[in-house]
């Protein structure tokens, strides 16, 4: 922890993780269309240029980084996540790419070119961040992925995390689910079982008994009905406690039609008896 001269904690770091939580101006996150809950927080989640390690506090880069971030109102991970909820304003780069604004979930369609032998449509995979952006993306392994037109402004749960943490916050991204590499993988299951960051709630086949170790910005993983066995089918970003002291997260989900911290298509709480609370299986700090 970093403290100011009065002893107040102003930043928290985790060995092996790039995520840091800084104390800053209070702000409120809300989504009145889908919930009465609000998250009022002084936590600002930012990425260090490298994973934290013992002794980093004595390095020149760290002092420069901390001075430039403390008190900054530049968008952090949490603010960026809300750039894609319903009603969020669209923003465009100088090159004409719409990089923020309300996102929808992957269109519920099938590929006309992918027909099974029995003549049934072949289900399509979800939409990634480059589908939302509508531009081709070349990854560090030289693999280029191209968007499909009908997926514009769409992201599934892991595509949403890759949009927020990867495209916007510049965390390295992988083109596939390989555990080898240093990029954030494509699917929730691969991210949950990957080696990036620190597991703050180790994966098990049951709901964790304790979740108080979570901090804002942590990735939370869920088992869903859609995937067989013990595979992780959904991923979200932990926001912190809402004003009713319930731990709340944000994610892009089919039943809600896109990114939400609300209760449409399942309560966005990690406690209680809701679908996602019962499906919680682990958490990781990038």
């Amino acid at each position: 922890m970093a403290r100011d001269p009065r002893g107040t904690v102003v930043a928290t770091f985790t060995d092996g993780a790039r995520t840091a939580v800084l104390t800053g101006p209070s702000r409120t996150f809300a989504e009145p269309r889908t919930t009465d809950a609000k998250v009022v927080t002084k936590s600002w989640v930012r990425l260090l240029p490298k994973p934290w390690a013992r002794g980093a506090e004595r390095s020149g880069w760290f002092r420069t980084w901390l001075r430039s971030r403390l008190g900054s109102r530049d968008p952090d991970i949490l603010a960026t996540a809300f750039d894609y909820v319903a009603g969020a304003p669209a923003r465009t780069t100088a090159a004409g790419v719409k990089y923020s604004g309300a996102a929808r979930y992957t269109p519920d369609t099938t590929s006309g070119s992918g027909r099974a032998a029995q003549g049934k449509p072949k289900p399509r995979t979800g939409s990634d961040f480059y589908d939302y952006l509508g531009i081709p993306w070349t990854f560090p392994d030289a693999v280029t992925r191209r968007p499909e037109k009908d997926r514009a402004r769409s992201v599934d749960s892991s595509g949403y995390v890759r949009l927020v943490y990867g495209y916007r916050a510049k965390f390295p991204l992988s083109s596939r689910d390989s555990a080898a590499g240093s990029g954030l993988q494509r699917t929730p299951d691969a991210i949950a079982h990957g080696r990036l960051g620190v597991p703050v709630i180790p994966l098990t086949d049951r709901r964790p008994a304790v979740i108080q170790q979570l901090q804002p910005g942590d990735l939370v993983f869920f088992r869903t009905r859609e995937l067989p066995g013990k595979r992780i089918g959904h991923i979200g970003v932990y926001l912190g406690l809402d004003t009713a002291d319930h731990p709340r997260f944000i994610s892009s989900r089919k039943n809600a039609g896109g990114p939400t911290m609300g209760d449409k298509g399942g309560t966005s709480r990690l406690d209680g008896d809701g679908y996602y609370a019962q499906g919680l299986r682990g958490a990781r700090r990038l």
Side-chain angles (χ1 to χ4, degrees):
M1 293 179 288
R3 300 177 184 271
D4 66 13
R6 294 172 295 181
T8 303
V9 175
V10 295
T12 304
F13 310 95
T14 303
D15 289 349
R18 285 185 58 186
T19 304
V21 178
L22 281 61
T23 301
S26 179
R27 56 202 171 141
T28 299
F29 293 111
E31 197 181 329
R33 300 183 187 188
T34 59
T35 183
D36 292 331
K38 297 179 181 179
V39 175
V40 180
T41 182
K42 292 184 178 180
S43 295
W44 292 65
V45 183
R46 303 203 182 273
L47 286 184
L48 293 159
K50 61 181 73 176
W52 183 263
R54 184 183 297 272
E57 68 275 11
R58 296 188 294 272
S59 63
W61 71 261
F62 168 69
R63 295 172 185 174
T64 300
W65 182 89
L66 187 61
R67 279 196 301 267
S68 68
R69 300 305 191 277
L70 281 178
S72 171
R73 291 180 177 268
D74 291 343
D76 69 329
I77 292 294
L78 303 187
T80 301
F82 279 85
D83 279 346
Y84 303 98
V85 300
R91 299 184 181 90
T92 306
T93 67
V97 177
K98 290 185 178 180
Y99 68 90
S100 74
R104 56 179 180 160
Y105 193 78
T106 294
D108 189 16
T109 57
T110 55
S111 173
S113 60
R115 298 276 174 178
Q118 294 81 4
K120 296 180 180 180
K122 180 180 178 182
R124 299 163 69 187
T125 57
S127 299
D128 203 356
F129 71 97
Y130 54 83
D131 290 304
Y132 174 90
L133 298 170
I135 58 174
W137 192 266
T138 300
F139 294 87
D141 61 2
V143 172
T144 298
R145 305 290 188 196
R146 300 186 181 279
E148 297 182 39
K149 290 183 178 181
D150 68 332
R151 295 171 181 260
R153 320 299 286 169
S154 301
V155 278
D156 61 15
S157 69
S158 53
Y160 174 59
V161 168
R162 281 157 63 92
L163 181 62
V164 172
Y165 261 104
Y167 178 76
R168 294 289 301 277
K170 308 307 180 187
F171 195 92
L173 293 171
S174 175
S175 66
R176 50 177 63 91
D177 277 351
S178 172
S182 58
L184 195 63
Q185 296 98 326
R186 174 64 186 97
T187 65
D189 192 68
I191 297 172
H193 288 91
R195 298 178 297 182
L196 296 175
V198 179
V200 291
I201 299 179
L203 284 175
T204 67
D205 61 355
R206 65 188 64 183
R207 179 182 181 179
V210 178
I211 63 172
Q212 281 82 359
Q213 62 269 52
L214 288 173
Q215 65 183 28
D218 288 349
L219 301 182
V220 284
F221 304 104
F222 306 88
R223 183 178 174 183
T224 59
R225 300 188 189 100
E226 287 78 12
L227 286 183
K230 300 176 182 178
R231 295 177 61 193
I232 298 299
H234 193 73
I235 183 175
V237 179
Y238 180 60
L239 297 173
L241 297 177
D242 63 24
T243 50
D245 287 332
H246 296 299
R248 190 163 288 269
F249 72 98
I250 187 170
S251 68
S252 180
R253 58 190 90 134
K254 183 177 181 179
N255 290 341
T260 183
M261 64 161 274
D263 301 326
K264 179 182 177 181
T267 304
S268 297
R269 285 170 45 185
L270 300 180
D271 62 349
D273 297 323
Y275 176 71
Y276 290 102
Q278 292 297 313
L280 181 66
R281 292 295 181 269
R284 182 171 289 271
R285 188 166 300 154
L286 284 183

